[in-house]
Amino acid sequence: MCDDDAEARHNPLLRDLGCDVSHGESSDSDESDVDMEEQAHRARVSRWRYERERSAGAAREMHVLQAIRMARETRDAMDRSNHLLRLRLERDDSALWADDITAQQRERAAAGAADTLHSVYTSRDEWAAMDGDKHTHEMAIEKWRAHDAAWVVFAERTLFLKQNSKNKLSIDGDDAFEKQTDQTDDDPGIRFQDVPWPPCSWADAIKVVALLEKLENPNHSNATCRKRAFRKLTLRWHPDKFQAKHGFACSGDALGGNTQGMEPHTTEPNETHANAIARRVRCIAQELNDAWREGK
């Protein structure tokens, strides 16, 4: 009987065919035990799956964190490399810039030396005739110094006439407005012969004045002395400047037949001293500019 109970307990077919009540109660208890074991097994499986999924999730998170850390380390390394590269490029650019500055300074120094040599050779060729004849050299300088002295007297005379004209205007009032260009009774005004005209051609005048500038300023280059000479002569003989400084003092009398001291200058019929002086000054300015252009 025991064997039948055991078989019925473990054989579902026997349970289905039916047995006595005692046998049924025994099988129910056995089935409940099996269900509990299955539930326990399922719980263990569920916990195992949960732990496995949690471990897999933790592994994935760890993998992501490692990837982020590696990316940050790579980025930091690239930033350091870029910074070092930028510093090296800046250092190279600074070195190239310094080399360029040095090269430019050398080029400017070479250009200055070339200009100096050119100026020396040009001046030597330009003044070869004067330097070759000391007597001619000294005569040209003395003539020009005499011309400068005569010009000082001429400028003082025009200044005196200007002051007298202003004094007369202030005394006579409005009635003297139309007479403000008249000369005083004891001075008829500047005539054509009274103007200290240059004693030589304008090409020679530029050379002589430049030579005097060189004697006064030995450190100046010949080209600089020549420019200063041309500027000095231009300021003296510019038509507008001459007219502003000396035009009011020029005589308004007609030249007439008195042409003494005017050779080789030509005159026009019924021309006044003031008009002849103004015309001659314009010619001088043009001749001076032509001489400067030809001597460059």
Side-chain angles (χ1 to χ4, degrees):
M1 192 70 179
C2 294
D3 294 335
D4 293 336
D5 293 336
E7 184 178 359
R9 194 167 51 250
H10 295 287
N11 191 349
L13 296 176
L14 294 178
R15 287 197 301 269
D16 294 337
L17 292 176
C19 295
D20 52 6
V21 177
S22 61
H23 289 172
E25 294 177 355
S26 176
S27 63
D28 291 337
S29 62
D30 293 339
E31 288 178 359
S32 61
D33 294 338
V34 171
D35 293 337
M36 292 179 64
E37 290 179 0
E38 289 180 356
Q39 292 178 358
H41 177 68
R42 291 175 182 174
R44 286 194 299 271
V45 171
S46 298
R47 285 196 301 275
W48 176 79
R49 289 178 178 174
Y50 171 75
E51 293 294 339
R52 186 180 65 181
E53 291 177 357
R54 189 177 66 175
S55 299
R60 287 193 299 270
E61 292 179 357
M62 184 62 67
H63 179 72
V64 172
L65 291 175
Q66 290 178 354
I68 293 174
R69 185 180 62 184
M70 291 179 63
R72 289 179 177 177
E73 292 177 355
T74 302
R75 185 189 61 186
D76 294 340
M78 292 180 65
D79 290 341
R80 289 193 296 271
S81 178
N82 291 334
H83 179 68
L84 294 176
L85 180 61
R86 184 168 58 254
L87 292 178
R88 186 174 63 185
L89 291 176
E90 291 177 354
R91 185 170 59 251
D92 294 342
D93 290 340
S94 300
L96 292 175
W97 179 79
D99 293 340
D100 292 340
I101 294 298
T102 304
Q104 292 177 2
Q105 292 176 350
R106 292 175 180 174
E107 290 177 358
R108 285 195 294 268
D115 291 341
T116 303
L117 290 175
H118 176 73
S119 175
V120 170
Y121 286 116
T122 302
S123 176
R124 186 185 63 180
D125 296 338
E126 182 178 331
W127 294 336
M130 281 189 175
D131 295 340
D133 190 347
K134 184 177 180 181
H135 180 67
T136 304
H137 185 180
E138 293 176 353
M139 287 183 60
I141 291 178
E142 290 300 326
K143 286 182 179 180
W144 194 262
R145 285 176 175 170
H147 167 71
D148 282 342
W151 185 266
V152 172
V153 175
F154 170 75
E156 290 177 352
R157 181 182 176 188
T158 56
L159 181 60
F160 174 77
L161 293 174
K162 183 177 182 179
Q163 290 176 351
N164 287 344
S165 177
K166 288 183 178 179
N167 294 335
K168 186 177 180 180
L169 180 62
S170 61
I171 294 174
D172 295 343
D174 296 336
D175 294 338
F177 180 76
E178 296 180 355
K179 301 179 182 180
Q180 59 182 329
T181 58
D182 294 342
Q183 286 72 34
T184 58
D185 297 335
D186 56 345
D187 194 333
I190 295 174
R191 299 170 300 173
F192 189 93
Q193 299 89 334
D194 298 335
V195 179
W197 305 109
C200 58
S201 66
W202 285 110
D204 292 338
I206 294 174
K207 294 178 183 179
V208 174
V209 178
L211 182 57
L212 292 173
E213 287 287 337
K214 186 68 174 179
L215 294 176
E216 294 177 0
N217 303 285
N219 296 328
H220 290 175
S221 65
N222 295 333
T224 301
C225 292
R226 182 179 172 83
K227 290 179 181 179
R228 290 168 66 93
F230 175 73
R231 184 174 182 274
K232 183 182 292 185
L233 293 173
T234 301
L235 291 176
R236 176 177 293 183
W237 294 106
H238 190 277
D240 295 336
K241 296 183 182 297
F242 186 94
Q243 186 67 22
K245 291 182 179 179
H246 314 294
F248 65 92
C250 295
S251 175
D253 298 339
L255 292 173
N258 183 15
T259 59
Q260 183 180 3
M262 298 181 60
E263 295 80 4
H265 309 294
T266 60
T267 60
E268 296 180 358
N270 301 323
E271 190 175 27
T272 63
H273 285 276
N275 292 336
I277 292 173
R279 181 168 58 85
R280 180 56 187 153
V281 170
R282 289 194 298 270
C283 294
I284 286 176
Q286 184 61 43
E287 293 172 1
L288 179 60
N289 290 330
D290 294 341
W292 171 256
R293 284 193 295 266
E294 292 175 359
K296 276 189 174 181

